[in-house]
């Protein structure tokens, strides 16, 4: 399904375990911009692209999420592995059980030794993985980042779930509507190192600097480290520290689920508004019981699917990662590589009581 048009329920995801994790955060928008400008666009190969080249058969593509056994990445990587089967390749998921900055390095080294054709990685830290990824690329392995980017000299292409600015600003806008543009708010993020959350939070702060938010105050950015219990405890701590808190933005599916669980059983239910990034199956009951009014997300399976086709296009020579190159991503259609090697999945969808039952993932 193509997120650039509309979302539809998908049988592929029906019956999967509830998604609870996704999106990590802490450096600034200027930091990310500096990292991106410090390297050539997508570190594109010197070889010329051949858009008419067929996808190679038997490509070996490894998916390296922030954490294995993280339901968000399970679904994303299943979408990617399904794509590899479509084009006659072989996909697998490997990775650490924790989301620490350097936990992915040993897996990159092993995948390099295994001579994978491509590595698809969601980086726990934008810089810690780069030396190992450079070695992989020197060995001829293509690297695609997805969900959370590496520094650009560590990869060929970054598959982004949605525009960072759109995600940062719309989460503030959603919460502002719910609290009447007035009151103290907090952000419950994931880890302090993930580039996606860091960038979103910077755009949140920039959005909050506009005159229409003059009566809203961001009092705290808390980190639940993509851990359910810590996120639950951090939510509890926010309400104890700020008893007059009006709302919470949690741009991580682990955090928003934990915060919703805490709020649903507290006197703050319905008083402290909650929004952020989550999945319909994960948050349906909290929408229906009034804990959450609205939240947003993209399709995790489509994100993995697009990342797989990006990796295959790179490994087959259809693209090098240069701006303006195009490729076809199976059922999702045609995509064009943007500045700094970014491929954008599409705009997120807002879920609320009116439409949440139309989705099953």
């Amino acid at each position: 399904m193509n997120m650039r048009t509309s979302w539809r329920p998908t049988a592929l995801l029906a019956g999967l375990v509830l998604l609870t994790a996704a999106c990590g955060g802490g450096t600034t928008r200027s930091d990310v911009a500096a990292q991106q400008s410090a390297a050539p666009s997508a570190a594109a190969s010197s070889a010329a692209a051949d858009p008419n080249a067929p996808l190679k058969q038997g490509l070996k593509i490894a998916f390296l999420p922030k954490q294995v056994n993280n339901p968000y990445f399970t679904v994303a990587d299943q979408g990617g592995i399904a794509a590899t089967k479509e084009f006659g390749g072989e996909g697998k998921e490997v990775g650490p059980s924790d989301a620490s900055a350097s936990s992915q390095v040993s897996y990159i080294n092993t995948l390099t030794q295994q001579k994978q054709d491509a590595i698809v990685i969601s980086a726990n830290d934008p810089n810690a993985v780069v030396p190992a990824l450079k070695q992989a690329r020197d060995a001829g392995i293509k690297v695609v980042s997805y969900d959370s980017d590496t520094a650009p000299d560590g990869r060929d292409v970054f598959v982004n779930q949605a525009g960072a600015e759109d995600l940062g600003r719309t989460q503030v806008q959603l919460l502002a509507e719910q609290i009447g543009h007035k009151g103290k708010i907090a952000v419950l993020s994931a880890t302090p190192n993930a580039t996606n959350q860091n960038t979103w939070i910077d755009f949140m702060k920039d959005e909050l600097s506009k005159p229409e938010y003059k009566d809203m105050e961001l009092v705290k950015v808390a980190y639940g480290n993509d851990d359910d219990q810590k996120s639950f405890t951090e939510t509890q701590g926010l309400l104890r520290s700020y008893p007059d808190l009006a709302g919470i933005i949690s741009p991580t599916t682990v955090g928003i689920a934990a915060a919703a669980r805490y709020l649903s059983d507290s006197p703050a239910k319905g008083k402290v508004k909650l929004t952020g990034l989550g999945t319909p199956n994960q948050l349906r009951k909290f929408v229906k019981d009034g804990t959450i009014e609205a939240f947003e997300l993209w399709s995790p399976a489509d994100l993995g699917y697009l990342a797989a086709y990006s990796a295959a296009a790179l490994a087959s020579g259809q693209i090098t990662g240069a701006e303006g190159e195009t490729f076809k991503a199976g059922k999702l259609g045609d995509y064009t590589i943007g500045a700094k090697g970014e491929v954008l999945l599409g705009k997120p969808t807002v879920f609320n009581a009116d439409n949440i039952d139309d989705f099953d993932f």
Side-chain angles (χ1 to χ4, degrees):
M1 64 193 145
N2 194 332
M3 281 296 301
R4 292 170 295 176
T5 54
S6 62
W7 284 22
R8 299 183 296 275
T10 177
L12 172 66
L13 294 173
L16 287 174
V17 62
L18 295 181
L19 306 181
T20 54
C23 329
T27 56
T28 65
R29 179 162 45 119
S30 58
D31 291 336
V32 175
Q35 291 170 353
Q36 291 176 333
S37 63
S41 174
S45 165
S46 59
D50 179 5
N52 297 316
L55 290 181
K56 293 180 180 178
Q57 294 293 295
L59 291 172
K60 296 188 296 182
I61 298 178
F63 295 84
L64 179 53
K66 294 178 184 177
Q67 299 166 284
V68 293
N69 302 320
N70 177 323
Y72 170 87
F73 287 111
T74 297
V75 173
D77 294 346
Q78 284 177 344
I81 291 169
T84 65
K85 292 178 180 177
E86 286 183 4
F87 53 71
E90 176 186 339
K92 66 178 181 179
E93 181 193 61
V94 299
S97 58
D98 66 285
S100 63
S102 61
S103 60
Q104 295 170 309
V105 171
S106 64
Y107 291 92
I108 297 169
N109 293 336
T110 298
L111 293 171
T112 302
Q113 294 168 2
Q114 293 174 349
K115 299 182 179 179
Q116 297 289 310
D117 292 295
I119 296 172
V120 179
I121 181 172
S122 180
N124 280 321
D125 183 279
N127 300 306
V129 294
V130 168
L133 289 175
K134 283 183 174 179
Q135 291 181 357
R137 297 179 73 203
D138 287 344
I141 297 171
K142 302 302 181 183
V143 176
V144 173
S145 59
Y146 74 120
D147 182 75
S148 184
D149 199 9
T150 71
D153 56 344
R155 47 77 169 166
D156 297 284
V157 163
F158 170 41
V159 177
N160 199 353
Q161 52 268 62
E165 182 168 1
D166 284 340
L167 283 167
R169 296 191 190 281
T170 56
Q171 289 175 79
V172 170
Q173 293 161 10
L174 278 173
L175 185 61
E177 291 172 3
Q178 296 172 37
I179 65 174
H181 288 74
K182 183 179 296 185
K184 295 178 180 178
I185 69 169
V187 172
L188 176 62
S189 188
T191 63
N193 301 314
T195 53
N196 53 355
Q197 297 240 337
N198 300 339
T199 307
W200 299 336
I201 291 169
D202 259 357
F203 278 117
M204 290 178 198
K205 292 176 179 178
D206 189 67
E207 182 71 11
L208 286 166
S209 70
K210 295 179 179 180
E212 57 262 44
Y213 306 104
K214 61 182 176 60
D215 294 323
M216 290 173 59
E217 179 188 4
L218 176 61
V219 295
K220 176 80 171 180
V221 177
Y223 296 98
N225 292 339
D226 263 349
D227 178 82
D228 177 76
Q229 186 55 50
K230 181 167 175 53
S231 298
F232 184 92
T233 302
E234 289 291 335
T235 304
Q236 182 181 49
L238 285 172
L239 268 66
R240 286 179 176 174
S241 298
Y242 306 97
D244 55 346
L245 195 68
I248 298 172
I249 299 173
S250 188
T252 158
T253 58
V254 170
I256 195 171
R261 196 171 75 253
Y262 178 82
L263 289 173
S264 67
D265 291 327
S266 81
K269 178 180 176 180
K271 299 177 182 177
V272 177
K273 303 299 183 179
L274 174 65
T275 194
L277 303 178
T279 71
N281 288 356
Q282 171 195 31
L283 299 178
R284 182 174 286 106
K285 65 179 180 180
F286 299 115
V287 170
K288 293 192 172 185
D289 73 8
T291 303
I292 296 176
E293 290 185 18
F295 64 96
E296 61 186 6
L297 194 68
W298 53 92
S299 166
D302 281 357
L303 183 67
Y305 184 97
L306 177 56
Y309 268 96
S310 301
L314 284 163
S316 302
Q318 291 182 350
I319 59 174
T320 65
E323 183 176 358
E325 293 176 344
T326 61
F327 66 100
K328 185 174 179 61
K331 64 184 180 182
L332 296 181
D334 297 325
Y335 281 83
T336 300
I337 299 175
K340 303 180 179 68
E342 182 180 48
V343 178
L344 190 63
L345 175 63
K347 288 186 177 296
T349 290
V350 174
F351 304 97
N352 54 36
D354 293 333
N355 69 357
I356 196 164
D357 284 336
D358 295 336
F359 302 90
D360 186 11
F361 69 91

